[in-house]
Amino acid sequence: MKPPATYEVQSYAGSQWKIEAFFDDHDLALAEARRMNESRRHFAVRVVEECFDASTETAITRTVYRSTPIDEHNKKRLEATAQTRKQVNLERAQRRPPARRPDHRHTTMLASAKLSHLLVKGAAIFVVGFGAILSIRFLAGQ
Amino acid sequence: MTSRVGERRLVLRVLAYWDEVREDRAFARLDQIDPCCLGEDWLSCAVLKIEAPIHDSIFTHVGDSFVEQNLSDATFYLADMTSPLLKHAFGYMQQVIDRRVPMSFGGQIRLFHRAALVRSIALPLADDNETITHILAAANYRFRPVEGTIVPSDPADEVMLE
């Protein structure tokens, strides 16, 4: 069975967290933290849960809620940016004609033409070279 | 004021009011607590003037919701407290004085020979923003359903007293 928990609502001021209220109920603590956050009188608000295990005599604390007006602002900005980006992409997609899919037949033909062109070039170089050697030999023999 | 509008839980409404009137101070002052602003919630509130020793503390206001309390005496001391609801609301008063923050607890009491779920809050008041002179407490209750009756679907609703 989970040990009973207590909840501290804390606000951040003067580079430290200050306890603002104390509850034995999670939902009440969260509701109060949200109200404090909405009041915009606090730089940051958090709720710290503390569970005390009597068998081990240890207290386990964890932050169950944290919010700042900056977080709220950043969240709204991110949402607005994502929405704008989505709209831009949609409009861009509508404006552009659909991209042509590459024709596989055409690509194969192009590759074989290039290969034959290369072979012809090679043969020509070979013939010209062989002819040149023969000519040099013939001239040297005279 | 707007933050309290629409809030269904008494303890959060009273806490929001206390927070509203204290502004940037650590505590609200007694003269800032206006029964008119609290409206019907004032009937569920009680104010205790802290004295030394603590059992000599005197109630300056006890709302009609604490019906079980006998208020015939002109001076009503903390030690004379008989109402279980009032006892619950001021049962953790010392912790409020020590921690110097509002505290809220729920629990079970017997009222009119029936089991009831209670939720209360105790808020410190200080005129000089340093010494706690009064405790403002608010409490309400709901009778536990008798066995065999329909239980609320969400058990939390049962405790979240309005």
Side-chain angles (χ1 to χ4, degrees), chain A residues 6 8 18-25 27-28 31-32 35-36 39 41-42, chain B residues 3 9 11-12 15-16 19-20 22-23 99 101-106 119 160:
Chain A
T6 53
E8 280 179 6
K18 181 180 166 254
I19 303 169
E20 295 285 349
F22 191 91
F23 293 89
D24 66 344
D25 184 87
D27 293 348
L28 281 176
E32 177 56 12
R35 185 198 64 80
M36 282 170 63
S39 75
R41 279 170 47 201
H42 308 277
Chain B
S3 58
R9 291 156 291 197
V11 294
L12 292 185
L15 175 58
D19 189 42
E20 203 174 278
R22 74 172 173 142
E23 293 176 329
R99 286 185 176 241
V101 289
M103 295 177 94
S104 171
F105 286 96
R119 164 68 55 189
M160 292 299 110

Side-chain angles (χ1 to χ4, degrees), chain A residues 78-95:
Chain A
L78 273 172
E79 279 171 4
T81 310
Q83 185 65 30
T84 311
R85 194 170 290 157
K86 201 174 162 186
Q87 252 180 353
V88 167
N89 285 342
L90 199 73
E91 279 174 23
R92 203 174 273 165
Q94 282 171 352
R95 233 183 297 142

